Amino acid sequence: PHAGPVESKTEAAMSELVPEPRQKPVVPMKPMGINASLLGYIGIDTIIEQMRKKTMKTGFDFNIMVVGQSGLGKSTLVNTLFKSQVSRKSSGWNREEKIPKTVEIKAIGHVIEEGGVKMKLTVIDTPGFGDQINNENCWEPIEKYINEQYEKFLKEEVNIARKKRIPDTRVHCCLYFISPTGHSLRPLDLEFMKHLSKVVNIIPVIAKADTMTLEEKTEFKQRVRKELELNGIEFYPQKEFDEDLEDKTENDKIRQESMPFAVVGSDKEYQVNGKRVLGRKTPWGIIEVENLTHCEFALLRDFVIRTHLQDLKEVTHNIHYETYRAKRLNDNGGLPPMTVETEENHESNL
Amino acid sequence: LARGGCPSVLPAAVMDSIIIQERLVERLLSPRTQAQRSHPAKLKDHEKQYVGFATLPNQVHRKSVKKGFDFTLMVAGESGLGKSTLVNSLFLTDLYKDRKLLNAEERINQTVEIVKHTVDIEEKGVKLKLTIVDTPGFGDAVNNTECWKPITDYIDQQFEQYFRDESGLNRKNIQDNRVHCCLYFISPFGHGLRPVDVEFMKALHEKVNIVPLIAKADCLIPSEIRKLKERIREEIDKFGIKVYQFPECDSDEDEEFKQQDRELKESAPFAVIGSNTVVEAKGQRVRGRLYPWGIVEVENQAHCDFVKLRNMLIRTHMHDLKDVTCDVHYENYRAQCIQQMTSKLTQDNRIESPIPILPLPTPDTETEKLIKMKDEEVSPVSACASWVLELESKE
């Protein structure tokens, strides 16, 4: 949740709007303690506690999209990330479903709760991507969907009678699954990421990383990073949106060393050294999903959920959405898009 | 026999017919009483003397060993499925030392190529000229429509070249470049066959022996492998794809062999892993892959089907693969070709064939009978047998 209109800073052609620095995140990562032995204590810092309480009450939205060829473990990974059965495959869809002839967009929402905080999580799956013989332009339905969500939000924003809290269906994060060939990226991977890194936050992950040994993984990651750089693909966290030195150093390390995260997903538990762990049991050993020496799932989870969740939402709102909005306004001659109060709109506003 | 014989080892059916022929010749040349002629089974003892052609298989064997064998193996599948590693593991060589892998941008405009690597391998005096036909670029592009065409064209070209050579004048040193087997690598990351897999196999199943494999099988746990194999087998049936069938073993083989044969059939498609690096496992040095959670041993049958594949391909079925290529795929091609030519002849009313059809010398009755039998696709053994009986009745 954010208060009031937000300014933006983008390089997109926007003559009308004066570029202003991006607002600093209002909600801090950690709640601060109260020092009781101050003289003349006013109590300003309690505002943080008040905000925290409000956040907990209202909860927040998070929309994550998964893209990749079928069979790369997208649904399993999402289930593992949120430690619950939230993917399309778990919601009654038949696991043995045929590959659809065109790319479909399937969004499923769940409310999950942890420590009193409610999250309305929406997982957007894209079955059919990259599976056909001819995959030309198969990213178009995905780009269209993302822009449609921006459009929906924009329409709400320019409404005269706006809702107190606009429902946010915009895609905050797109996990792109790279096949672990061990060689390099595929032409399709490059095409997708080139087109969509300007519209949404893309986090590339190397799927089914238990296919590669340690050396193969390191080499592959290096090659992929180089290819992404050579092709000018800015994946999240984008260099240009680092706010201060602290952000930059932290993100640099992630960008240059950890990403793309080589992950393994699993929703089955096994007993290892007296502990129950999520893993995969092979004839030659048990792969532990949360063991950092086995794969980087824990890094991905911490990155997406524990440290950068809010930032993902902010970049989506302040950068990607604003870019879309500016383009729409410019196309419309600087005026907000007209919303004719039709039967449809009226109902959705209620 | 009518075709001038296969370039390599003679198949079993022909061997039998040689034996029958020998017996017949023997009987025709030796003086006999009427009674004996009408009761072919009752040979006198002195006529059952050892002639010596039972050594024929050994003679054939010696000649083949001297001549050496050749085998052409094609590998196909998307890049990054471990094809090169598997080929190196199978033949314990390093065929791809100087290979340069393209990056994604270079691959955007790449077309499917055909690359041949030939290596001479010798083991215990037996020479094998192995040709590996690689198909880089297959299935990698964004648009893979008809990406198998260069491959089907290549296979047809080899058939055509062989057809020309066979119909030509000098047939002493025909080079057999026909593809005897195609290993098709299926990605372990999917839920079964992908559209490109189905289309590829359907385009090639009547031109070459297809052996489908599940690549990089060490990323799957045993239950996933079972499910995937089932799924693939179902889909192969559903789409009417004719993959290479292991021949039935003879009923007089011993139980152990039959058991092995059964296991082989039930394991298809083979889930394979390749590696040419040696790692230390349980105090032994084995070929495998070292992971933080354990070591995968390539030659451990509990880990993957590599051993089954190797045994099938090299130790037990290499010859059958060549036979089926000669007797089925090549014959299909040849029949189609001749049909096209004759229809063209009747259409155009001129004799205009790309391949010179030499007029055969006037055949004598014996050869004529053999040719007739071949044309009617009768097995040489039964044809000879019926011919023998015919001659008998005439006498």
Side-chain angles (χ1 to χ4, degrees), chain A residues 69-72 89 95-99 130-137 139 179-188 190-191 194 208-214 216-217 227 230-231 270 280-288 293-295, chain B residues 78-82 99 101-105 107-108 139-148 187-191 193-196 199 216-222 224 227 231 238 273 289-297 302-304:
Chain A
Q69 279 185 314
S70 90
L72 283 179
K89 294 267 169 78
R95 193 164 258 273
E96 306 301 331
E97 209 174 69
K98 281 202 305 186
I99 293 174
D131 289 329
Q132 306 310 321
I133 295 179
N134 182 355
N135 292 307
E136 273 174 354
N137 301 325
W139 53 83
S179 183
T181 58
H183 289 184
S184 63
L185 288 175
R186 291 203 158 120
L188 180 61
L190 278 184
E191 291 292 306
K194 264 193 202 157
K208 298 205 168 173
D210 53 345
T211 309
M212 296 186 284
T213 61
L214 240 47
E216 291 168 353
K217 226 189 293 188
E227 281 201 286
L230 278 174
N231 285 280
Y270 294 97
R280 288 169 63 69
K281 182 158 185 221
T282 67
W284 45 88
I286 295 185
I287 306 166
E288 298 164 50
T293 56
H294 287 191
C295 76
Chain B
E78 303 177 327
S79 75
L81 286 181
R99 179 174 69 155
L101 291 171
L102 299 178
N103 64 26
E105 217 178 357
R107 281 194 268 161
I108 286 180
D140 285 343
V142 177
N143 183 355
N144 292 309
T145 308
E146 299 237 314
C147 62
W148 48 85
S187 171
F189 309 128
H191 293 302
L193 294 177
R194 294 221 172 107
V196 72
E199 292 304 308
K216 292 197 169 175
D218 55 348
C219 78
L220 298 171
I221 61 181
E224 291 168 347
K227 260 193 255 168
R231 190 88 195 273
K238 183 169 109 175
I273 303 167
R289 291 170 62 73
L290 174 64
Y291 289 111
W293 49 85
I295 297 177
V296 180
E297 298 163 49
H303 288 187
C304 71

Side-chain angles (χ1 to χ4, degrees), chain A residues 148-178:
Chain A
E148 276 170 3
Q149 308 317 305
Y150 291 149
E151 184 66 27
K152 247 195 247 175
F153 196 88
L154 181 63
K155 287 218 157 73
E156 278 298 332
E157 238 189 10
V158 302
N159 241 342
I160 300 171
R162 286 202 297 211
K163 289 195 199 140
K164 191 168 97 160
R165 201 178 145 232
I166 304 175
D168 192 358
T169 56
R170 298 169 298 184
V171 179
H172 300 127
C173 166
C174 173
L175 293 182
Y176 186 77
F177 286 68
I178 297 170

Side-chain angles (χ1 to χ4, degrees), chain A residues 68-111:
Chain A
Q69 279 185 314
S70 90
L72 283 179
K74 304 186 291 290
S75 307
T76 310
L77 188 73
V78 169
N79 286 351
T80 320
L81 266 176
F82 296 100
K83 286 227 165 95
S84 33
Q85 302 289 318
V86 289
S87 70
R88 162 180 71 102
K89 294 267 169 78
S90 324
S91 309
W93 258 275
N94 183 5
R95 193 164 258 273
E96 306 301 331
E97 209 174 69
K98 281 202 305 186
I99 293 174
K101 292 275 183 217
T102 52
V103 179
E104 296 174 358
I105 312 280
K106 296 212 163 113
I108 305 169
H110 289 265
V111 176

Side-chain angles (χ1 to χ4, degrees), chain B residues 125-140:
Chain B
V126 181
K127 293 199 250 308
L128 175 70
K129 175 163 160 281
L130 175 73
T131 307
I132 305 286
V133 179
D134 211 345
T135 55
F138 175 80
D140 285 343

Side-chain angles (χ1 to χ4, degrees), chain A residues 105-148:
Chain A
I105 312 280
K106 296 212 163 113
I108 305 169
H110 289 265
V111 176
I112 53 182
E113 186 175 328
E114 191 182 63
V117 180
K118 276 205 210 47
M119 173 157 89
K120 179 165 176 293
L121 172 72
T122 307
V123 178
I124 302 143
D125 205 342
T126 53
F129 177 84
D131 289 329
Q132 306 310 321
I133 295 179
N134 182 355
N135 292 307
E136 273 174 354
N137 301 325
C138 64
W139 53 83
E140 280 178 358
I142 298 174
E143 197 173 349
K144 187 160 156 258
Y145 175 83
I146 293 174
N147 285 334
E148 276 170 3

